[in-house]
Amino acid sequence: AAELNGTCDSCHALGRILIIIPTYNEAENLPILVRRIFEVMPRTEIVVVDDNSPDGTASRARDRPGR
């Protein structure tokens, strides 16, 4: 597994990477997490699974189409 504190040299050799992020009330944290993942692994796909958060987490996830 790649650590989020450095670059992922082996990620290119692995091909496609999918990260699934389960969330509940993470509207403030989600953009920070997603940005950091893409900094380390730019070719990663992320799926956010939200549990009907009342804080707008799902809307924040949808605000980043294609990223």
Side-chain angles (χ1 to χ4, degrees), residues 6-57:
T7 60
C8 182
D9 295 331
S10 62
C11 292
H12 298 293
L14 296 174
R16 185 173 166 189
I17 296 173
L18 174 65
I19 296 176
I20 300 170
I21 303 173
T23 60
Y24 186 77
N25 287 339
E26 295 294 338
E28 289 185 33
N29 298 318
L30 187 61
I32 297 164
L33 175 62
V34 170
R35 182 176 54 249
R36 184 68 178 122
I37 290 170
F38 283 132
E39 286 173 0
V40 176
M41 297 177 287
R43 295 169 50 193
T44 301
E45 292 186 45
I46 296 175
V47 174
V48 176
V49 181
D50 185 56
D51 193 17
N52 200 27
S53 297
D55 73 341
T57 300

